[in-house]
Amino acid sequence: MSEEQVTANVPEKGNIYRRAKLWQIICYSFSAFPLMGAYILIGYASYSASIGYGISTAIIGVILMGTRILDAVTDPMLAFVYDKVNTKHGKLRILLLMGFAVQTLGFLWMYIIFSSKGFGIPVFCIGYVIYILGYTMINMTSQTLPAILTNDPKQRPQVGVWQTIFNYLVPMMLTMLLNVVILKQCGGTFNQQFLTTSCLCVTVIGLIGVIIMCIGVTPYDKPEYYGGLTRKREPLKWKDIFAVLKNNKPLQCYIASAASDKLAQQVASQSIIVTLLYGIVIGNIQLSTILSVISMLPSILFAAFGAKYVGKHGGRDGIIHFSFICIIVTTVIIVFFTVIDPTKIAQAGPIMILYVILMVCLNGSKMCVTTCNNSFMADIIDYELDRSGKYIPAVVTGSYSLIDKLVSSLSSVIATGCVAVLGYKTAVPQPGDVSTPQLFWMTMFLFFMLPIIGWIITEIAMKKCDLSREKMAEVQERIAAKKQAMKAEAEQKA
Protein backbone atom coordinates (compact mmCIF):
# COMPACT_ATOMS: atom_id res chain seq x y z
CA MET A 1 0.00 0.00 0.00
CA SER A 2 1.46 3.37 -1.01
CA GLU A 3 1.51 6.52 1.10
CA GLU A 4 -1.26 8.04 -1.04
CA GLN A 5 -3.44 4.97 -0.49
CA VAL A 6 -2.87 5.11 3.25
CA THR A 7 -4.05 8.73 3.35
CA ALA A 8 -7.00 7.97 1.10
CA ASN A 9 -8.15 5.21 3.41
CA VAL A 10 -8.41 7.58 6.38
CA PRO A 11 -11.84 9.26 6.33
CA GLU A 12 -12.17 12.66 8.00
CA LYS A 13 -8.49 12.71 8.79
CA GLY A 14 -8.85 15.70 11.11
CA ASN A 15 -11.07 13.68 13.44
CA ILE A 16 -8.67 10.75 13.52
CA TYR A 17 -5.28 12.37 13.97
CA ARG A 18 -4.44 14.83 16.72
CA ARG A 19 -1.32 16.99 16.54
CA ALA A 20 0.65 18.66 19.30
CA LYS A 21 2.01 22.19 19.00
CA LEU A 22 5.72 22.59 18.39
CA TRP A 23 6.37 24.30 21.74
CA GLN A 24 4.67 21.37 23.53
CA ILE A 25 6.90 18.86 21.75
CA ILE A 26 9.99 20.88 22.64
CA CYS A 27 8.90 21.12 26.29
CA TYR A 28 8.35 17.37 26.39
CA SER A 29 11.87 16.88 25.01
CA PHE A 30 13.23 18.55 28.15
CA SER A 31 12.73 15.12 29.73
CA ALA A 32 16.34 14.63 28.62
CA PHE A 33 17.49 16.90 31.46
CA PRO A 34 16.37 14.69 34.38
CA LEU A 35 16.67 11.38 32.51
CA MET A 36 19.90 11.75 30.55
CA GLY A 37 21.40 13.70 33.43
CA ALA A 38 20.70 10.72 35.66
CA TYR A 39 22.09 8.40 32.99
CA ILE A 40 25.38 10.32 32.94
CA LEU A 41 25.63 10.65 36.71
CA ILE A 42 24.85 7.00 37.43
CA GLY A 43 27.68 6.12 35.05
CA TYR A 44 29.97 7.21 37.87
CA ALA A 45 28.37 4.78 40.31
CA SER A 46 31.41 2.50 40.09
CA TYR A 47 33.66 5.36 41.18
CA SER A 48 31.24 6.36 43.93
CA ALA A 49 31.16 2.81 45.28
CA SER A 50 34.95 2.50 45.16
CA ILE A 51 35.92 5.97 46.38
CA GLY A 52 33.02 6.80 48.66
CA TYR A 53 32.24 3.41 50.18
CA GLY A 54 35.42 1.33 49.75
CA ILE A 55 33.76 -1.40 47.69
CA SER A 56 36.00 -3.59 45.47
CA THR A 57 35.58 -3.58 41.69
CA ALA A 58 34.26 -7.16 41.45
CA ILE A 59 31.64 -6.59 44.16
CA ILE A 60 30.59 -3.32 42.53
CA GLY A 61 29.57 -5.21 39.39
CA VAL A 62 27.44 -7.65 41.37
CA ILE A 63 25.77 -4.85 43.34
CA LEU A 64 24.96 -2.83 40.22
CA MET A 65 23.55 -5.93 38.51
CA GLY A 66 21.36 -6.71 41.52
CA THR A 67 20.01 -3.17 41.74
CA ARG A 68 19.35 -3.21 38.01
CA ILE A 69 17.27 -6.37 38.42
CA LEU A 70 15.34 -4.63 41.18
CA ASP A 71 14.89 -1.71 38.79
CA ALA A 72 13.31 -4.08 36.29
CA VAL A 73 10.90 -5.52 38.84
CA THR A 74 9.74 -2.09 40.00
CA ASP A 75 8.69 -1.02 36.47
CA PRO A 76 5.51 -3.11 36.16
CA MET A 77 4.75 -2.46 39.85
CA LEU A 78 4.88 1.30 39.26
CA ALA A 79 2.40 0.80 36.42
CA PHE A 80 -0.15 0.35 39.20
CA VAL A 81 0.91 3.71 40.66
CA TYR A 82 0.49 5.29 37.22
CA ASP A 83 -2.98 3.75 36.94
CA LYS A 84 -4.15 4.86 40.40
CA VAL A 85 -2.86 8.44 40.42
CA ASN A 86 -5.88 10.42 39.25
CA THR A 87 -6.20 13.86 40.83
CA LYS A 88 -7.98 17.07 39.87
CA HIS A 89 -4.57 18.21 38.58
CA GLY A 90 -4.18 15.09 36.43
CA LYS A 91 -1.55 12.41 36.83
CA LEU A 92 1.34 13.18 34.48
CA ARG A 93 2.77 16.21 36.28
CA ILE A 94 2.26 14.62 39.70
CA LEU A 95 4.22 11.54 38.68
CA LEU A 96 7.01 13.56 37.06
CA LEU A 97 7.53 15.78 40.12
CA MET A 98 7.28 12.89 42.58
CA GLY A 99 9.73 10.84 40.57
CA PHE A 100 12.28 13.64 40.35
CA ALA A 101 12.09 14.30 44.10
CA VAL A 102 12.77 10.64 44.89
CA GLN A 103 15.54 10.38 42.27
CA THR A 104 17.25 13.47 43.70
CA LEU A 105 17.14 12.03 47.21
CA GLY A 106 18.83 8.88 45.92
CA PHE A 107 21.62 10.82 44.23
CA LEU A 108 22.27 13.06 47.23
CA TRP A 109 22.36 9.94 49.41
CA MET A 110 24.85 8.11 47.16
CA TYR A 111 27.18 10.92 46.15
CA ILE A 112 27.10 13.47 48.98
CA ILE A 113 25.30 12.71 52.24
CA PHE A 114 26.94 9.38 53.06
CA SER A 115 29.82 9.21 50.57
CA SER A 116 33.38 9.13 51.98
CA LYS A 117 32.08 9.08 55.56
CA GLY A 118 33.01 5.52 56.47
CA PHE A 119 29.84 3.76 55.34
CA GLY A 120 29.89 0.55 53.29
CA ILE A 121 27.79 -1.68 51.03
CA PRO A 122 24.36 -1.46 52.77
CA VAL A 123 24.23 2.35 52.74
CA PHE A 124 25.38 2.52 49.12
CA CYS A 125 22.70 0.00 48.09
CA ILE A 126 19.93 1.91 49.89
CA GLY A 127 20.82 5.09 48.02
CA TYR A 128 20.90 3.24 44.72
CA VAL A 129 17.46 1.72 45.35
CA ILE A 130 15.98 5.14 46.15
CA TYR A 131 17.42 6.48 42.89
CA ILE A 132 15.91 3.55 40.98
CA LEU A 133 12.40 4.19 42.29
CA GLY A 134 12.52 7.87 41.33
CA TYR A 135 14.10 7.34 37.93
CA THR A 136 11.58 4.63 37.07
CA MET A 137 8.66 6.91 37.88
CA ILE A 138 10.00 9.70 35.65
CA ASN A 139 11.07 7.37 32.85
CA MET A 140 7.82 5.40 32.64
CA THR A 141 5.70 8.54 32.65
CA SER A 142 7.93 10.11 30.02
CA GLN A 143 7.69 7.07 27.75
CA THR A 144 3.89 7.30 27.66
CA LEU A 145 3.84 10.95 26.55
CA PRO A 146 4.62 10.65 22.80
CA ALA A 147 1.53 8.48 22.30
CA ILE A 148 -0.54 10.99 24.30
CA LEU A 149 0.78 14.09 22.50
CA THR A 150 0.04 12.94 18.94
CA ASN A 151 -1.07 9.96 16.89
CA ASP A 152 -0.29 11.51 13.51
CA PRO A 153 2.14 9.16 11.70
CA LYS A 154 4.01 12.13 10.24
CA GLN A 155 4.28 14.10 13.47
CA ARG A 156 5.32 11.21 15.71
CA PRO A 157 8.75 11.00 14.08
CA GLN A 158 9.09 14.76 14.66
CA VAL A 159 8.57 14.14 18.36
CA GLY A 160 11.30 11.52 18.07
CA VAL A 161 13.63 14.01 16.37
CA TRP A 162 13.31 16.60 19.10
CA GLN A 163 13.65 13.92 21.75
CA THR A 164 16.73 12.53 19.99
CA ILE A 165 18.27 16.01 19.67
CA PHE A 166 17.85 16.69 23.38
CA ASN A 167 18.96 13.18 24.30
CA TYR A 168 22.14 13.91 22.38
CA LEU A 169 22.79 17.52 23.35
CA VAL A 170 22.16 17.13 27.09
CA PRO A 171 24.60 14.22 27.65
CA MET A 172 27.14 15.94 25.42
CA MET A 173 26.95 19.19 27.37
CA LEU A 174 26.95 17.40 30.70
CA THR A 175 29.87 15.20 29.72
CA MET A 176 31.80 18.28 28.63
CA LEU A 177 30.93 20.05 31.87
CA LEU A 178 31.85 17.08 34.06
CA ASN A 179 34.85 15.60 32.20
CA VAL A 180 36.44 18.76 30.85
CA VAL A 181 35.60 21.52 33.34
CA ILE A 182 34.79 19.92 36.70
CA LEU A 183 37.24 17.02 36.41
CA LYS A 184 40.07 19.44 35.65
CA GLN A 185 39.16 21.66 38.60
CA CYS A 186 39.08 18.60 40.87
CA GLY A 187 42.64 17.54 40.06
CA GLY A 188 42.11 15.46 36.90
CA THR A 189 41.03 12.28 38.71
CA PHE A 190 37.66 10.90 39.80
CA ASN A 191 37.62 11.82 43.51
CA GLN A 192 35.00 12.78 46.12
CA GLN A 193 35.11 16.46 45.21
CA PHE A 194 34.33 15.55 41.60
CA LEU A 195 31.42 13.29 42.62
CA THR A 196 29.89 15.93 44.91
CA THR A 197 30.11 18.75 42.38
CA SER A 198 28.77 16.57 39.56
CA CYS A 199 25.79 15.49 41.65
CA LEU A 200 24.81 19.07 42.46
CA CYS A 201 25.12 20.19 38.83
CA VAL A 202 23.02 17.32 37.49
CA THR A 203 20.35 17.92 40.16
CA VAL A 204 19.90 21.61 39.32
CA ILE A 205 19.80 20.94 35.57
CA GLY A 206 17.30 18.11 36.06
CA LEU A 207 14.96 20.33 38.10
CA ILE A 208 14.86 22.91 35.31
CA GLY A 209 14.00 20.19 32.80
CA VAL A 210 11.17 18.73 34.89
CA ILE A 211 9.53 22.13 35.39
CA ILE A 212 9.59 22.92 31.66
CA MET A 213 8.35 19.43 30.87
CA CYS A 214 5.36 19.86 33.20
CA ILE A 215 4.46 23.13 31.50
CA GLY A 216 4.42 21.40 28.10
CA VAL A 217 2.22 18.45 29.09
CA THR A 218 -0.32 20.52 31.09
CA PRO A 219 -2.90 20.70 28.24
CA TYR A 220 -2.77 16.88 27.91
CA ASP A 221 -2.87 16.04 31.61
CA LYS A 222 -6.56 15.10 31.41
CA PRO A 223 -8.35 11.70 31.44
CA GLU A 224 -9.66 12.25 27.91
CA TYR A 225 -6.10 11.87 26.59
CA TYR A 226 -5.18 8.71 28.48
CA GLY A 227 -8.56 6.97 28.72
CA GLY A 228 -9.44 3.66 27.11
CA LEU A 229 -12.08 2.53 24.62
CA THR A 230 -14.49 1.22 27.25
CA ARG A 231 -17.04 3.33 29.12
CA LYS A 232 -16.38 1.58 32.42
CA ARG A 233 -12.92 2.14 33.81
CA GLU A 234 -11.51 -1.06 35.27
CA PRO A 235 -8.59 -1.02 37.73
CA LEU A 236 -5.30 -2.42 36.50
CA LYS A 237 -4.62 -6.08 37.32
CA TRP A 238 -1.51 -8.25 37.08
CA LYS A 239 -3.20 -10.28 34.35
CA ASP A 240 -3.23 -7.13 32.18
CA ILE A 241 0.55 -6.99 32.35
CA PHE A 242 0.96 -10.68 31.54
CA ALA A 243 -1.58 -10.37 28.72
CA VAL A 244 0.38 -7.55 27.12
CA LEU A 245 3.61 -9.55 27.23
CA LYS A 246 1.89 -12.67 25.94
CA ASN A 247 -0.31 -11.29 23.17
CA ASN A 248 1.38 -8.15 21.85
CA LYS A 249 3.75 -9.54 19.21
CA PRO A 250 5.14 -6.14 18.09
CA LEU A 251 6.09 -5.50 21.72
CA GLN A 252 7.83 -8.87 21.90
CA CYS A 253 9.86 -8.07 18.79
CA TYR A 254 10.69 -4.61 20.08
CA ILE A 255 11.84 -5.98 23.43
CA ALA A 256 14.25 -8.38 21.74
CA SER A 257 15.54 -5.57 19.54
CA ALA A 258 15.82 -2.74 22.06
CA ALA A 259 17.01 -4.82 25.01
CA SER A 260 19.94 -6.28 23.08
CA ASP A 261 20.94 -2.83 21.82
CA LYS A 262 20.53 -1.33 25.29
CA LEU A 263 22.78 -3.92 26.89
CA ALA A 264 25.60 -3.17 24.46
CA GLN A 265 25.16 0.60 24.74
CA GLN A 266 25.14 0.55 28.53
CA VAL A 267 28.29 -1.53 28.66
CA ALA A 268 30.06 0.88 26.31
CA SER A 269 28.80 3.94 28.19
CA GLN A 270 30.16 2.82 31.56
CA SER A 271 32.74 5.40 32.60
CA ILE A 272 35.36 2.71 33.20
CA ILE A 273 34.92 1.46 29.60
CA VAL A 274 35.10 4.99 28.19
CA THR A 275 38.31 5.37 30.20
CA LEU A 276 39.68 2.17 28.63
CA LEU A 277 39.13 3.43 25.08
CA TYR A 278 39.88 7.12 25.30
CA GLY A 279 42.01 7.38 28.44
CA ILE A 280 44.24 4.35 27.80
CA VAL A 281 44.01 2.89 24.25
CA ILE A 282 43.85 6.30 22.53
CA GLY A 283 45.47 8.20 25.38
CA ASN A 284 43.27 11.30 25.50
CA ILE A 285 40.22 11.13 27.79
CA GLN A 286 39.01 14.56 26.64
CA LEU A 287 38.74 13.34 23.05
CA SER A 288 35.44 11.57 23.78
CA THR A 289 33.86 14.88 24.76
CA ILE A 290 35.46 16.77 21.86
CA LEU A 291 34.16 14.11 19.48
CA SER A 292 30.65 14.58 20.88
CA VAL A 293 30.83 18.30 20.13
CA ILE A 294 32.05 17.71 16.58
CA SER A 295 29.31 15.13 15.99
CA MET A 296 26.54 17.42 17.23
CA LEU A 297 25.35 19.06 13.99
CA PRO A 298 25.81 15.99 11.73
CA SER A 299 23.95 13.82 14.23
CA ILE A 300 21.02 16.25 14.33
CA LEU A 301 20.89 16.15 10.54
CA PHE A 302 20.93 12.35 10.69
CA ALA A 303 18.04 12.41 13.18
CA ALA A 304 16.01 14.70 10.90
CA PHE A 305 16.65 12.37 7.98
CA GLY A 306 15.63 9.40 10.13
CA ALA A 307 12.36 11.11 11.07
CA LYS A 308 11.58 11.82 7.43
CA TYR A 309 12.27 8.19 6.63
CA VAL A 310 10.01 6.99 9.45
CA GLY A 311 7.21 9.32 8.33
CA LYS A 312 7.31 7.71 4.91
CA HIS A 313 8.17 4.08 5.68
CA GLY A 314 7.31 3.54 9.36
CA GLY A 315 9.33 2.87 12.50
CA ARG A 316 9.82 -0.83 11.91
CA ASP A 317 11.47 -0.44 8.51
CA GLY A 318 13.60 2.41 9.82
CA ILE A 319 14.95 0.30 12.69
CA ILE A 320 15.84 -2.50 10.29
CA HIS A 321 17.63 -0.33 7.74
CA PHE A 322 19.57 1.94 10.08
CA SER A 323 20.66 -0.95 12.32
CA PHE A 324 22.21 -2.59 9.27
CA ILE A 325 24.14 0.61 8.52
CA CYS A 326 25.40 0.62 12.13
CA ILE A 327 26.75 -2.90 11.66
CA ILE A 328 28.66 -1.92 8.53
CA VAL A 329 30.19 1.27 9.99
CA THR A 330 31.18 -0.39 13.27
CA THR A 331 32.91 -3.23 11.42
CA VAL A 332 34.95 -0.68 9.47
CA ILE A 333 35.94 1.05 12.74
CA ILE A 334 37.22 -2.23 14.23
CA VAL A 335 39.34 -2.84 11.14
CA PHE A 336 40.57 0.75 11.36
CA PHE A 337 41.81 0.24 14.93
CA THR A 338 43.65 -2.96 14.02
CA VAL A 339 45.70 -1.41 11.19
CA ILE A 340 46.76 1.86 12.85
CA ASP A 341 48.50 2.95 16.04
CA PRO A 342 45.51 4.04 18.19
CA THR A 343 47.57 6.68 19.97
CA LYS A 344 47.85 8.54 16.63
CA ILE A 345 44.12 9.27 16.87
CA ALA A 346 44.82 11.72 19.69
CA GLN A 347 47.20 13.67 17.46
CA ALA A 348 45.84 16.20 15.00
CA GLY A 349 46.23 14.76 11.51
CA PRO A 350 44.68 12.49 8.84
CA ILE A 351 44.19 9.56 11.24
CA MET A 352 42.23 11.69 13.69
CA ILE A 353 40.13 13.15 10.86
CA LEU A 354 39.31 9.69 9.51
CA TYR A 355 38.38 8.43 12.97
CA VAL A 356 36.14 11.44 13.57
CA ILE A 357 34.39 10.86 10.22
CA LEU A 358 33.77 7.20 11.06
CA MET A 359 32.45 8.00 14.53
CA VAL A 360 30.20 10.76 13.17
CA CYS A 361 28.70 8.26 10.73
CA LEU A 362 28.22 5.72 13.51
CA ASN A 363 26.69 8.19 15.95
CA GLY A 364 24.43 9.53 13.21
CA SER A 365 23.20 6.05 12.35
CA LYS A 366 22.54 5.41 16.03
CA MET A 367 20.56 8.66 16.08
CA CYS A 368 18.37 7.37 13.28
CA VAL A 369 17.75 4.11 15.14
CA THR A 370 16.83 6.03 18.30
CA THR A 371 14.41 8.23 16.36
CA CYS A 372 12.77 5.14 14.89
CA ASN A 373 12.55 3.48 18.31
CA ASN A 374 10.83 6.49 19.88
CA SER A 375 8.18 6.56 17.16
CA PHE A 376 7.72 2.79 17.18
CA MET A 377 7.05 2.62 20.94
CA ALA A 378 4.16 5.08 20.52
CA ASP A 379 2.81 2.86 17.74
CA ILE A 380 2.97 -0.18 20.03
CA ILE A 381 0.99 1.66 22.71
CA ASP A 382 -1.77 2.49 20.21
CA TYR A 383 -1.66 -1.06 18.85
CA GLU A 384 -2.35 -2.33 22.38
CA LEU A 385 -5.24 0.14 22.74
CA ASP A 386 -6.77 -1.21 19.53
CA ARG A 387 -6.11 -4.82 20.54
CA SER A 388 -7.44 -4.75 24.11
CA GLY A 389 -9.54 -1.58 24.32
CA LYS A 390 -7.57 -0.51 27.40
CA TYR A 391 -5.36 2.54 27.25
CA ILE A 392 -2.70 1.43 29.67
CA PRO A 393 0.52 2.92 28.26
CA ALA A 394 2.36 2.41 31.55
CA VAL A 395 1.72 -1.33 31.25
CA VAL A 396 3.23 -1.41 27.76
CA THR A 397 6.26 0.64 28.78
CA GLY A 398 6.51 -1.19 32.10
CA SER A 399 6.38 -4.60 30.43
CA TYR A 400 9.07 -3.53 28.01
CA SER A 401 11.21 -2.07 30.77
CA LEU A 402 10.87 -5.23 32.86
CA ILE A 403 12.57 -7.40 30.24
CA ASP A 404 14.85 -4.62 29.00
CA LYS A 405 16.31 -3.94 32.43
CA LEU A 406 16.62 -7.60 33.35
CA VAL A 407 18.83 -7.99 30.28
CA SER A 408 20.68 -4.70 30.62
CA SER A 409 21.26 -5.39 34.32
CA LEU A 410 24.16 -7.46 33.07
CA SER A 411 25.90 -4.33 31.73
CA SER A 412 27.59 -3.35 34.98
CA VAL A 413 28.73 -6.86 35.83
CA ILE A 414 30.00 -7.38 32.26
CA ALA A 415 31.94 -4.11 32.37
CA THR A 416 33.41 -4.54 35.84
CA GLY A 417 33.99 -8.26 35.31
CA CYS A 418 35.92 -7.72 32.09
CA VAL A 419 37.91 -4.92 33.70
CA ALA A 420 38.71 -7.19 36.65
CA VAL A 421 40.01 -9.82 34.19
CA LEU A 422 42.48 -7.18 32.99
CA GLY A 423 43.84 -6.89 36.53
CA TYR A 424 41.71 -4.07 37.96
CA LYS A 425 40.40 -6.07 40.92
CA THR A 426 40.77 -3.56 43.75
CA ALA A 427 41.03 -0.34 41.72
CA VAL A 428 39.42 1.18 38.66
CA PRO A 429 41.05 2.24 35.35
CA GLN A 430 42.46 5.75 35.30
CA PRO A 431 43.55 7.90 32.32
CA GLY A 432 47.20 7.31 31.49
CA ASP A 433 47.37 3.64 32.51
CA VAL A 434 49.51 1.38 30.30
CA SER A 435 47.78 -0.16 27.27
CA THR A 436 48.39 -3.86 26.58
CA PRO A 437 47.21 -6.15 23.74
CA GLN A 438 44.78 -7.80 26.15
CA LEU A 439 43.37 -4.43 27.18
CA PHE A 440 43.12 -3.34 23.53
CA TRP A 441 41.07 -6.34 22.39
CA MET A 442 38.89 -6.28 25.49
CA THR A 443 38.12 -2.64 24.73
CA MET A 444 37.31 -3.46 21.09
CA PHE A 445 34.92 -6.18 22.22
CA LEU A 446 33.12 -4.07 24.82
CA PHE A 447 32.95 -0.86 22.81
CA PHE A 448 32.33 -2.14 19.27
CA MET A 449 31.81 -5.90 18.91
CA LEU A 450 29.09 -6.19 21.55
CA PRO A 451 26.93 -3.53 19.82
CA ILE A 452 27.25 -5.45 16.53
CA ILE A 453 25.79 -8.51 18.24
CA GLY A 454 22.91 -6.35 19.49
CA TRP A 455 22.15 -4.98 16.02
CA ILE A 456 22.17 -8.47 14.51
CA ILE A 457 19.53 -9.50 17.06
CA THR A 458 17.58 -6.37 16.12
CA GLU A 459 17.62 -7.32 12.44
CA ILE A 460 16.26 -10.78 13.18
CA ALA A 461 13.57 -9.61 15.63
CA MET A 462 12.19 -6.66 13.66
CA LYS A 463 11.93 -8.63 10.44
CA LYS A 464 9.49 -10.89 12.29
CA CYS A 465 7.35 -7.89 13.32
CA ASP A 466 4.38 -7.02 11.09
CA LEU A 467 3.49 -3.58 12.53
CA SER A 468 4.20 -1.63 9.35
CA ARG A 469 3.17 1.93 8.56
CA GLU A 470 0.22 0.67 6.56
CA LYS A 471 -1.00 -1.48 9.42
CA MET A 472 -0.72 1.44 11.83
CA ALA A 473 -3.00 3.50 9.58
CA GLU A 474 -5.60 0.75 9.92
CA VAL A 475 -5.11 0.71 13.70
CA GLN A 476 -5.77 4.45 13.94
CA GLU A 477 -8.90 4.10 11.80
CA ARG A 478 -10.32 1.45 14.13
CA ILE A 479 -9.46 3.48 17.25
CA ALA A 480 -11.17 6.56 15.81
CA ALA A 481 -14.26 4.54 14.87
CA LYS A 482 -14.53 3.06 18.37
CA LYS A 483 -14.18 6.48 19.99
CA GLN A 484 -16.86 7.92 17.74
CA ALA A 485 -19.17 5.02 18.62
CA MET A 486 -18.58 5.69 22.36
CA LYS A 487 -19.33 9.36 21.87
CA ALA A 488 -22.51 8.64 19.92
CA GLU A 489 -23.69 6.19 22.59
CA ALA A 490 -23.05 8.73 25.34
CA GLU A 491 -24.95 11.45 23.46
CA GLN A 492 -27.84 9.10 22.85
CA LYS A 493 -28.13 8.25 26.55
CA ALA A 494 -27.91 11.91 27.48
Side-chain angles (χ1 to χ4, degrees):
M1 185 182 294
S2 66
E3 182 177 355
E4 291 75 19
Q5 289 174 312
V6 172
T7 303
N9 287 337
V10 180
E12 299 181 15
K13 186 175 180 179
N15 294 328
I16 293 178
Y17 293 133
R18 64 181 180 277
R19 294 177 61 87
K21 296 178 181 178
L22 178 60
W23 70 268
Q24 293 168 335
I25 295 175
I26 294 175
C27 285
Y28 157 69
S29 300
F30 271 77
S31 61
F33 282 76
L35 292 176
M36 298 308 296
Y39 182 76
I40 294 296
L41 187 59
I42 206 63
Y44 297 103
S46 299
Y47 289 97
S48 175
S50 176
I51 296 167
Y53 299 87
I55 305 173
S56 68
T57 306
I59 296 178
I60 291 172
V62 176
I63 292 174
L64 296 183
M65 182 183 71
T67 51
R68 186 72 178 174
I69 293 174
L70 175 64
D71 189 9
V73 174
T74 59
D75 282 355
M77 293 176 64
L78 282 172
F80 290 90
V81 176
Y82 185 99
D83 182 65
K84 290 184 179 299
V85 173
N86 293 286
T87 72
K88 63 179 181 180
H89 301 293
K91 71 167 63 185
L92 304 176
R93 291 165 294 175
I94 301 296
L95 290 169
L96 290 171
L97 292 171
M98 286 175 54
F100 180 76
V102 175
Q103 174 181 286
T104 299
L105 174 61
F107 278 144
L108 293 176
W109 181 299
M110 289 173 59
Y111 291 91
I112 298 178
I113 298 175
F114 296 104
S115 184
S116 294
K117 293 181 174 62
F119 294 96
I121 294 176
V123 174
F124 174 80
C125 290
I126 291 172
Y128 205 106
V129 169
I130 295 173
Y131 146 73
I132 284 173
L133 294 175
Y135 178 85
T136 300
M137 197 177 299
I138 301 176
N139 189 41
M140 284 186 57
T141 306
S142 176
Q143 287 185 35
T144 67
L145 293 180
I148 293 174
L149 289 174
T150 177
N151 65 346
D152 189 307
K154 290 188 176 181
Q155 191 180 48
R156 271 189 176 166
Q158 296 175 16
V159 177
V161 169
W162 282 101
Q163 186 179 9
T164 301
I165 290 172
F166 275 74
N167 284 351
Y168 184 84
L169 290 178
V170 172
M172 182 200 70
M173 291 186 295
L174 280 176
T175 301
M176 181 183 300
L177 174 64
L178 301 185
N179 284 355
V180 176
V181 180
I182 295 178
L183 183 62
K184 184 178 180 180
Q185 292 180 347
C186 295
T189 60
F190 300 108
N191 51 39
Q192 182 57 49
Q193 182 186 3
F194 170 81
L195 296 174
T196 299
T197 308
S198 298
C199 179
L200 293 175
C201 288
V202 170
T203 298
V204 172
I205 291 171
L207 177 60
I208 295 172
V210 168
I211 293 173
I212 295 176
M213 191 179 177
C214 287
I215 294 173
V217 302
T218 296
Y220 294 90
D221 202 356
K222 303 173 184 176
E224 62 192 87
Y225 291 104
Y226 41 75
L229 297 178
T230 57
R231 287 186 295 107
K232 183 179 179 181
R233 185 180 177 276
E234 299 180 0
L236 180 64
K237 302 180 178 66
W238 276 104
K239 68 177 183 180
D240 293 321
I241 295 176
F242 294 129
V244 168
L245 283 171
K246 179 181 177 182
N247 301 317
N248 193 317
K249 184 178 178 181
L251 177 61
Q252 295 170 358
C253 296
Y254 182 75
I255 287 174
S257 166
S260 58
D261 288 350
K262 187 78 166 289
L263 173 62
Q265 290 173 11
Q266 288 203 340
V267 170
S269 66
Q270 294 287 318
S271 57
I272 55 176
I273 306 305
V274 174
T275 300
L276 287 180
L277 179 63
Y278 287 98
I280 301 176
V281 173
I282 295 177
N284 186 348
I285 189 65
Q286 282 77 30
L287 183 60
S288 62
T289 304
I290 296 172
L291 180 62
S292 297
V293 175
I294 295 174
S295 301
M296 179 178 65
L297 180 58
S299 294
I300 292 174
L301 296 176
F302 270 100
F305 172 77
K308 186 175 182 180
Y309 187 93
V310 173
K312 185 175 181 180
H313 299 282
R316 182 202 62 174
D317 289 354
I319 293 172
I320 292 173
H321 293 152
F322 292 121
S323 294
F324 181 74
I325 294 175
C326 287
I327 293 173
I328 299 300
V329 176
T330 306
T331 302
V332 173
I333 292 175
I334 295 173
V335 174
F336 174 75
F337 266 94
T338 60
V339 299
I340 60 130
D341 176 5
T343 60
K344 298 294 184 182
I345 295 175
Q347 303 172 13
I351 293 180
M352 173 185 277
I353 294 174
L354 182 55
Y355 175 71
V356 169
I357 292 174
L358 289 172
M359 291 302 294
V360 166
C361 292
L362 178 59
N363 291 335
S365 300
K366 288 180 180 179
M367 278 288 197
C368 291
V369 173
T370 301
T371 301
C372 296
N373 280 334
N374 293 337
S375 178
F376 193 65
M377 174 53 81
D379 289 346
I380 293 174
I381 291 174
D382 281 346
Y383 173 84
E384 179 60 29
L385 172 63
D386 177 52
R387 188 192 70 81
S388 66
K390 299 178 180 179
Y391 196 70
I392 42 180
V395 173
V396 176
T397 58
S399 300
Y400 155 69
S401 294
L402 170 64
I403 308 300
D404 170 73
K405 290 180 179 178
L406 285 174
V407 174
S408 59
S409 66
L410 298 172
S411 62
S412 296
V413 76
I414 289 174
T416 54
C418 290
V419 168
V421 169
L422 294 173
Y424 294 96
K425 296 181 180 179
T426 58
V428 286
Q430 293 286 357
D433 288 352
V434 178
S435 178
T436 64
Q438 293 81 5
L439 187 146
F440 171 81
W441 284 111
M442 184 67 78
T443 304
M444 291 297 102
F445 171 74
L446 295 173
F447 214 90
F448 298 115
M449 297 178 188
L450 202 56
I452 289 179
I453 296 173
W455 289 316
I456 290 174
I457 295 174
T458 293
E459 292 289 306
I460 297 172
M462 296 309 294
K463 286 181 179 179
K464 293 182 179 294
C465 177
D466 61 352
L467 193 58
S468 63
R469 185 182 187 278
E470 292 80 8
K471 186 168 183 176
M472 272 308 302
E474 297 171 2
V475 166
Q476 296 296 354
E477 288 180 31
R478 289 194 294 267
I479 291 175
K482 292 173 184 176
K483 286 186 175 181
Q484 290 214 347
M486 286 176 59
K487 182 179 179 181
E489 183 180 352
E491 291 175 350
Q492 186 177 11
K493 288 187 177 182

